Amino acid sequence: MQHLGFYEMFNPAKKMQHLGFYELFLRLLREDLPSSSCAFSITLWLLSGNLYEGFDEEYECPVLDEDRVIDELEDRMSEGGIIVDYHGCDFFPERWFQIVFVLRTDNSLLYDRLESRGYKQKKLQDNVQCEIFQTIYEEAVESYRQDIVHQLSSNTPEDLEQNLEQIFQWIQQWMKDNN
């Protein structure tokens, strides 16, 4: 069975009470997915399932136990129809994904979003620098076939709608081709 991949640029769970742009994106995506599909956030799953191996004081976030995440996801991924949301991708097996979407954000908007979430200066600067140097996109291209990696602009609510539409179209076509 083939799979979908979806990655975001940064961690939306810093302030879970604040509905961030990417949390909204994932929530809307979940609402309209076919019933045979599943979408979940690795970050939120990580926190609820204790899938971390420590806490990074400098960045104020849990350190993901990548091996344990892979072990926990293996059976789910083999069933297919899974959309994975995370801010990195180099440790996920290539066999899991048929397509990868990397959401990109204008640096000034990204800075403001992260600042509103209370990110410390170093974490803020590192995230913006990652966006400037296309770190997640490059990681995705190095980890997966280049033809399955797609960048989506994610600056405005209109971008959100357009991205959802593009992903839904891909899902519908994939289901038509594979069912």
Side-chain angles (χ1 to χ4, degrees), residues 34-168:
S35 59
S36 61
S37 299
C38 173
F40 61 94
S41 166
I42 295 292
T43 300
L44 298 177
W45 187 57
L46 154 86
L47 296 172
S48 66
N50 294 323
L51 299 174
Y52 49 92
E53 56 189 16
F55 191 81
D56 185 318
E57 297 294 334
E58 183 176 23
Y59 288 100
E60 297 182 320
C61 65
V63 177
L64 184 69
D65 183 339
E66 295 175 357
D67 291 334
R68 189 160 170 224
V69 168
I70 298 301
D71 290 344
E72 293 284 330
L73 275 176
E74 189 69 50
D75 289 341
R76 287 184 182 183
M77 295 305 290
S78 66
E79 295 169 9
I82 306 294
I83 295 176
V84 176
D85 163 43
Y86 192 58
H87 59 272
C89 62
D90 62 336
F91 68 95
F92 294 114
E94 183 177 4
R95 69 182 181 281
W96 282 6
F97 302 109
Q98 200 58 34
I99 195 164
V100 175
F101 295 102
V102 178
L103 299 182
R104 301 294 311 275
T105 304
D106 176 86
N107 297 328
S108 60
L109 294 173
L110 177 60
Y111 186 93
D112 292 344
R113 284 180 193 167
L114 298 179
E115 186 177 51
S116 74
R117 294 177 182 185
Y119 278 40
K120 288 186 175 180
Q121 194 61 36
K122 173 150 178 53
K123 187 172 183 177
L124 228 162
Q125 288 173 341
D126 287 353
N127 275 272
V128 170
Q129 187 176 18
C130 277
E131 185 65 18
I132 290 168
F133 292 114
Q134 302 184 59
T135 303
I136 302 302
Y137 174 71
E138 293 297 325
E139 180 180 290
V141 169
E142 290 172 8
S143 299
Y144 307 102
R145 292 187 340 263
Q146 189 169 358
D147 64 313
I148 71 166
V149 178
H150 304 276
Q151 296 185 76
L152 301 176
S153 178
S154 190
N155 296 311
T156 66
E158 293 78 22
D159 289 342
L160 174 89
E161 289 295 324
Q162 185 177 3
N163 292 343
L164 285 170
E165 182 60 33
Q166 184 174 350
I167 291 170
F168 288 137

